[in-house]
Amino acid sequence: MLEVSGLHVWRGERHVLKGLSVQLAAGQALQLLWPNGAGKTSLLRAIAGLLPVEAGQVRWRGQDTEADPLTFCRDLAYLGHDLALKGDLTAGENLRYSLALRGRVAPADIDAALATVGLTAVQEQLVRRLSAGQQRRVALARLTLWDARLWLLDEPAANLDAAGQALVVAAIEAHAAAGGVAVIATHQPLALSTGVSSLWRSPGEPP
Amino acid sequence: MIREPSALHAAAQILRRDLKLAFRRPGEWLQPVAFFLIVTMLFPLALDPELSRLRQLAPGALWVAALLASILAIEFLFREDGRDGTLEQYALSGHSFAWLLLAKTAAHWLLTGLPLAIAAPLAALGLGAPAAALPGILAALLLGSVSLSLLGAIGAGLTLGIRRGGALLSLLVLPLAIPTLVFGARATQLAIQGDSLAGPLYLLAALGVFGLTLAPLAAAAAVRISLE
C-alpha cells in the first residue's frame, strides 16, 4: 500500500536520506531502529508531506501523495514528538476537538478509548496536570480513534511504563490486523509479532 | 465513528476550541485591550489637554495605539499551536490549511480585534471626541481590525519558527498596515468633524476583503515553511 522510492531529503546543508526505498503491504508495520540523527523523523515527516522531498516519490494506494495531499491526509495519522494536546483542556475535550477535524465522533467512543488506555479516573483533569506518560496515553487514545489506514509514529513508547508500552504494541497489532500500515521510529524495538513487523536497523541496509 | 469531514464543521470546532482556551486564560486577550486603553489615556496627560487640540490629535493617537495593541496581540496567534504540534496536525488534517488558519485568525479577531473596536469609543471619549462621532469610530475600528488581524496572521506565520520573533513581527507587519492606518485615521477624523466617512470606510472594507482572500493563503505558506 505504501511505496517509497528513491527518496532524497535534505535538512539544510545535510543530505539526510539518500535514495531511500521501501514498500509496505496492508497489515505490515516497519520499525525504524536507526541510530540517532540517521533521519528517522525526517523519513516520517517526508512521507507525511511535512518535509519537502528533493527527489523520489511516496505512493499510497498507487497514487503519488503529492498529487492529492488532502485525500492522502485523510488516510494518515501522524504522531510526532509534539503531541498536539492543549494543557488547558481536559483529556476528553482534547480528543473531541482534535477528532472533530476528521469527522464526528460519539462521546461514548471517546470515553471507551480513554478507558482502554487507563485514563478514566483523570478524564476530567486538565492535560497539563497529567504526567508525560499519561499525556502519551491520551495521544494513543486519539490515534486509535482516528480511523486512519497509515500510521506514522515517532517514538510512540517514549515516557511510557511497561503497561503503556504494551498498550502501544496492542494498538499497532490491532491496526495491522485491520489491514493498516504503520511506520514507527523508535530506539528500542517494540515487541510486535514478527509476522506483522520488520526491523530496519540502519538506512544503509534495507529490511 | 461516522466519517463526515466537513470543512465548515472543522473550522467551527477550531473556533470553539480557541475561544474555550482563551476563556480559561483571559489574561492573554485582555492585555492588548488594556494596553490600548492606557496608551490612549496617556495622550491627554502628556499633551495639551485643550479640547480642540486634543480632537485634532485623537484620530492619530487612537489608530497608532490600536495598531500597536494588535501587533502585541498577534504574537499569540500561532505561537503555542506551533510549539505543541497542533499546527502540524492541522496541516495533515485533510482540510485546506489556509481555511483552518482563517478559522484560527477569526477566533483571534473575536478575542482581540473586536474588544479593541468596542473599547475604541471609550478611548475616543477620553480624547475629546463628540458623542455623535462614536458610531463612526466603532465602524472604522471594526473594519480596520479585520485587516490588521489578517495581516498579522502573515507576520505571525513568518516569524513562527523564530525565538523572540516579536520585534521582527512588528517590523514585518507595521509597514503593511500603513494603508489601514491612513484610511482608519481619516475615517476617524471625518467622524469627529461630523462629516460623512463613507469613503474611507469603503476603502477599509476593501482592504479587509483583500486580506480575507489572500492573507490565509500567504499565512498557510509561511506556516508550512516554519513547520519544516
Side-chain angles (χ1 to χ4, degrees):
Chain A
M1 277 185 44
L2 179 70
E3 294 165 51
V4 177
S5 51
L7 205 65
H8 285 266
V9 171
W10 288 74
R11 298 294 286 134
E13 295 293 299
R14 215 157 60 85
H15 193 174
V16 189
L17 302 178
K18 301 170 183 168
L20 196 104
S21 299
V22 66
Q23 293 197 358
L24 289 172
Q28 282 191 323
L30 174 67
Q31 297 195 55
L32 306 172
L33 296 171
W34 304 354
N36 291 339
K40 295 190 288 286
T41 299
S42 296
L43 176 57
L44 293 185
R45 294 176 69 89
I47 294 175
L50 287 170
L51 272 189
V53 168
E54 194 74 23
Q57 230 184 15
V58 179
R59 298 173 76 83
W60 172 251
R61 296 177 195 261
Q63 298 287 315
D64 187 348
T65 56
E66 276 184 11
D68 188 359
L70 292 188
T71 310
F72 169 61
C73 282
R74 290 197 194 111
D75 266 348
L76 170 76
Y78 173 76
L79 179 62
H81 284 287
D82 304 315
L83 300 177
L85 297 173
K86 286 286 158 199
D88 284 319
L89 296 177
T90 67
E93 287 169 338
N94 261 299
L95 292 193
R96 204 167 48 181
Y97 286 119
S98 52
L99 290 164
L101 294 181
R102 301 291 185 122
R104 282 169 220 270
V105 182
D109 289 346
I110 292 180
D111 292 347
L114 284 171
T116 310
V117 296
L119 291 179
T120 306
V122 292
Q123 194 172 340
E124 295 307 316
Q125 280 195 28
L126 296 185
V127 160
R128 74 180 138 86
R129 300 205 207 287
L130 302 183
S131 74
Q134 286 175 318
Q135 294 186 5
R136 275 270 159 194
R137 285 170 183 240
V138 178
L140 182 65
R142 185 183 59 200
L143 183 68
T144 55
L145 286 170
W146 240 329
D147 199 21
R149 297 297 299 279
L150 173 61
W151 284 7
L152 302 174
L153 313 178
D154 202 347
E155 303 284 0
N159 299 324
L160 285 177
D161 54 15
Q165 293 189 10
L167 284 171
V168 173
V169 168
I172 296 170
E173 297 262 1
H175 175 63
V181 174
V183 184
I184 306 143
T186 180
H187 56 268
Q188 279 199 327
L190 298 170
L192 292 164
S193 50
T194 43
V196 168
S197 135
S198 43
L199 301 181
W200 190 355
R201 297 199 176 271
S202 91
E205 35 176 320
Chain B
M1 171 169 175
I2 312 152
R3 284 180 75 88
E4 192 187 314
S6 117
L8 211 59
H9 181 241
Q13 291 298 318
I14 287 183
L15 203 71
R16 282 183 51 184
R17 193 201 71 147
D18 279 10
L19 295 181
K20 181 174 263 184
L21 276 169
F23 281 103
R24 293 211 174 145
R25 269 182 318 211
E28 215 164 77
W29 56 278
L30 286 175
Q31 267 176 33
V33 188
F35 173 85
F36 172 69
L37 284 173
I38 288 173
V39 168
T40 49
M41 259 190 318
L42 293 178
F43 280 92
L45 297 176
L47 298 167
D48 187 0
E50 190 200 325
L51 198 59
S52 64
R53 288 279 292 281
L54 211 51
R55 277 185 186 173
Q56 264 180 2
L57 290 167
L62 212 58
W63 275 85
V64 169
L67 186 56
L68 293 179
S70 74
I71 294 280
L72 194 69
I74 209 77
E75 233 195 300
F76 299 115
L77 175 53
F78 297 138
R79 203 178 50 186
E80 204 191 306
D81 278 357
R83 236 179 243 164
D84 67 17
T86 304
L87 288 181
E88 248 167 41
Q89 295 299 343
Y90 287 176
L92 298 176
S93 67
H95 296 287
S96 150
F97 194 34
W99 169 247
L100 299 186
L101 294 187
L102 180 61
K104 267 201 79 61
T105 311
H108 189 266
W109 178 80
L110 285 176
L111 289 164
T112 58
L114 188 61
L116 218 59
I118 292 170
L122 193 67
L125 275 182
L127 290 168
L134 299 186
I137 292 174
L138 177 67
L141 255 296
L142 274 176
L143 288 173
S145 60
V146 170
S147 36
L148 291 183
S149 283
L150 288 161
L151 282 174
I154 304 176
L158 285 169
T159 54
L160 181 61
I162 303 168
R163 258 175 228 279
R164 307 222 161 267
L168 186 60
L169 177 66
S170 359
L171 290 181
L172 282 172
V173 175
L174 286 175
L176 295 174
I178 288 172
T180 310
L181 179 76
V182 170
F183 298 130
R186 177 73 183 145
T188 308
Q189 189 189 11
L190 291 174
I192 289 175
Q193 289 167 0
D195 296 330
S196 157
L197 60 160
L201 277 192
Y202 289 151
L203 284 164
L204 282 177
L207 284 174
V209 172
F210 183 61
L212 209 56
T213 45
L214 290 181
L217 297 174
V223 172
R224 265 187 193 282
I225 293 169
S226 306
L227 287 182
E228 274 176 17

